[in-house]
Amino acid sequence: MKALVISDREEIINHVTPLLKEKGFDLIHYRWIIKALDNIEEIQPDVIVLSAMEYPRHWKTLAGFVQSGIGGNDVKLYLYDKEPLSAEDAKKAYDLGILSFEENFNQNEKTPAAFVNVEVALNETLSRFKFYDAKYYPETNCILFNTAPENVENKFIKYISMYDGNKVSSFSGELKMNDDDNFCIYVKDYYEKEI
C-alpha cells in the first residue's frame, strides 16, 4: 500500500509519517502539490495526506482530480490540520468524501471508530425543533453530542431526525452519558429515507 504525503512543513511530515508507516504504508513525499498532481497517475496511491491550511485552494482541486479516477479508483484523501476547518471548508471536505487524518490515524485511539457528521433535529416541548451538529456512530447506534442537548427533560426522546448529507433518518432514542462523559442518544425504532 502506498501513501502520498504532500507537505512542505516538517512538523506535519514528522507527525504523519510514523503513523502511516505503523499502518504498513510505503511513503512517497512531495513538497509541492502541483508536482504531486502532475505525477499522481504514475504513483497510484492508496492514501493521500495533505493540509488544507498549507494548500488552501488546491486541496479541493486535488480531491476532484482524484475522484475522477485519475490516480486510482479507491484513493482515500485525508486532511491533516491542528486547527479546525472553517464551516464552509468542513462542508466541502465532507461533500468531497475527505476524512480527517487525526480522527482516523490517531495513535492514542485503540481502534478508530467510523462515524458520520450529521445534523440532528430534536422535537422539544411545544413542538419546537432544536438543531445540533453531531457525530453518528453506526456500530454503536449512538449520536454523540459535545454538549448536552438543551431543554431535554426526559431521558427518552420520541421524535428525532438526522441528516447525513444524503438521507434523512427518523427515530426515537435514549439520552445517556457515555464513558467519556459525553452525551449520546442511542437510536431506537430506526427509519431511513433517501432525499
Side-chain angles (χ1 to χ4, degrees):
M1 295 187 305
K2 289 188 269 187
L4 172 60
V5 178
I6 306 169
S7 181
D8 194 32
R9 293 171 45 199
E10 287 300 318
E11 67 271 15
I12 292 176
I13 297 162
N14 292 339
H15 180 74
V16 166
T17 300
L19 295 173
L20 289 168
K21 283 184 178 177
E22 186 180 292
K23 301 278 186 187
F25 287 98
D26 295 323
L27 294 174
I28 299 163
H29 176 238
Y30 277 82
R31 294 193 182 276
W32 307 107
I33 195 167
I34 301 300
K35 187 75 171 164
L37 270 167
D38 204 28
N39 293 322
I40 203 158
E41 193 170 8
E42 290 83 26
I43 297 169
Q44 296 278 312
D46 298 289
V47 167
I48 300 172
V49 180
L50 75 156
S51 164
M53 302 297 177
E54 196 172 0
Y55 305 104
R57 294 188 183 133
H58 293 95
W59 66 271
K60 295 172 249 293
T61 304
L62 177 71
F65 196 72
V66 168
Q67 286 181 346
S68 73
I70 296 172
N73 291 327
D74 192 25
V75 181
K76 300 241 184 304
L77 193 59
Y78 295 92
L79 289 179
Y80 173 82
D81 285 300
K82 288 288 187 187
E83 298 296 319
L85 295 173
S86 68
E88 183 181 344
D89 280 348
K91 180 169 180 2
K92 287 178 186 173
Y94 177 77
D95 291 344
L96 290 167
I98 301 172
L99 305 169
S100 164
F101 184 83
E102 281 299 297
E103 290 172 353
N104 288 275
F105 283 89
N106 190 333
Q107 62 196 36
N108 297 327
E109 291 183 25
K110 296 169 196 141
T111 52
F115 68 87
V116 178
N117 288 314
V118 295
E119 293 176 15
V120 177
L122 302 180
N123 189 356
E124 297 181 344
T125 55
L126 304 174
S127 297
R128 287 184 292 190
F129 285 89
K130 182 77 177 177
F131 295 90
Y132 300 91
D133 290 323
K135 294 179 180 176
Y136 174 60
Y137 292 84
E139 282 185 22
T140 58
N141 234 3
C142 167
I143 301 169
L144 181 67
F145 295 86
N146 293 330
T147 57
E150 297 172 14
N151 302 325
V152 177
E153 296 167 9
N154 301 325
K155 298 231 179 214
F156 183 77
I157 303 168
K158 193 170 181 180
Y159 302 109
I160 304 169
S161 295
M162 178 173 69
Y163 177 62
D164 70 1
N166 294 317
K167 56 189 166 300
V168 173
S169 306
S170 298
F171 46 86
S172 301
E174 279 187 272
L175 180 66
K176 295 181 181 176
M177 189 176 281
N178 68 9
D179 297 338
D180 300 325
D181 293 331
N182 293 317
F183 290 91
C184 265
I185 291 179
Y186 291 93
V187 174
K188 312 278 184 197
D189 307 321
Y190 191 74
Y191 169 76
E192 188 173 285
K193 182 179 180 181
E194 296 282 338
I195 60 165

